[in-house]
Amino acid sequence: MVRKLRFLILIITLSFLMSCSTGSFLGSGGEPVLADNQMLTINEITSTGSYEFIEIYNRMDYTVVLDQGWILDDNGQDYQDGSRSLKIPEGTLIPAKGFLLICPFEEKNINTVLNNANIPETALLDISFSINNNDSISLYHNLQLVDSIAWVSD
C-alpha cells in the first residue's frame, strides 16, 4: 500500500512539473521580473484621428516591470535634454505577451486628449511630443537603443 501511494505521489509530482513552463513563472514570490533590452519592442504607432498611441509589447511569458531607464524619443530630436522625449515611469508593469499603450500629446492638445472617452483607462498619457507624418520613434533603456521605427506618409 505504501509503495502504491509513493508511486501515485511521484506520478502526480512529475505530471505537475511537466505541465509547468519555466517561462511562465514570475519571481520566486510571484513578483514581476525587471525588464531588460531583449524583452520589449515597439509594436505599433498610429493615430486614431482623435488621439495618437504607441504600443510597447512584452515578448515574455511573464509580467515585466520597468525601471527608471526607459525612454521613448521622438525623431531623435533633443533627446539629451529631454525636451522631446517621454520617460516611462519607474514601476510601470506590462503583462505577459501584453502591451503598454502610451498616448503622447503636445500641451496645446491637452483638453482634447484628457476629455477623450475613447482612450483606454490603462493608457499612459504624457505631455511630450506629437506623432507626425514623417517621423520616427525610438525606445531606449539606460541610453542604449532597444528598438526604433521610422515612417514617411504621403
Side-chain angles (χ1 to χ4, degrees):
M1 177 75 168
V2 173
R3 189 176 224 181
K4 286 182 182 179
L5 184 57
R6 284 183 186 164
F7 182 73
L8 181 60
I9 291 171
L10 177 64
I11 296 297
I12 292 170
T13 303
L14 287 174
S15 296
F16 173 76
L17 291 174
M18 291 176 68
S19 69
C20 295
S21 161
T22 57
S24 65
F25 288 110
L26 299 178
S28 60
E31 68 277 356
V33 174
L34 190 61
D36 68 29
N37 295 2
Q38 305 304 310
M39 296 177 174
L40 304 179
T41 187
I42 299 172
N43 185 65
E44 183 177 0
I45 301 171
T46 195
S47 175
T48 66
S50 57
Y51 67 94
E52 302 168 336
F53 69 87
I54 302 164
E55 281 182 351
I56 305 297
Y57 177 65
N58 173 11
R59 300 176 190 181
M60 309 314 291
D61 292 328
Y62 43 83
T63 299
V64 297
V65 61
L66 280 57
D67 62 12
Q68 64 185 358
W70 291 93
I71 295 175
L72 274 176
D73 178 48
D74 177 35
N75 207 22
Q77 296 182 10
D78 305 320
Y79 171 62
Q80 294 303 320
D81 69 12
S83 63
R84 291 183 57 88
S85 63
L86 183 159
K87 294 179 182 176
I88 302 173
E90 182 177 7
T92 298
L93 298 174
I94 306 178
K97 301 289 185 185
F99 302 93
L100 170 61
L101 186 66
I102 300 171
C103 298
F105 60 95
E106 293 181 320
E107 192 167 4
K108 65 182 179 183
N109 301 327
I110 193 167
N111 289 327
T112 303
V113 173
L114 295 180
N115 293 319
N116 189 331
N118 295 320
I119 297 176
E121 289 182 21
T122 57
L124 172 62
L125 302 177
D126 189 79
I127 299 174
S128 52
F129 54 80
S130 181
I131 299 170
N132 299 307
N133 291 338
N134 302 319
D135 210 343
S136 68
I137 300 292
S138 299
L139 178 65
Y140 291 89
H141 182 232
N142 295 328
L143 303 178
Q144 184 177 14
L145 181 64
V146 174
D147 197 9
S148 185
I149 296 179
W151 62 93
V152 177
S153 300
D154 296 330

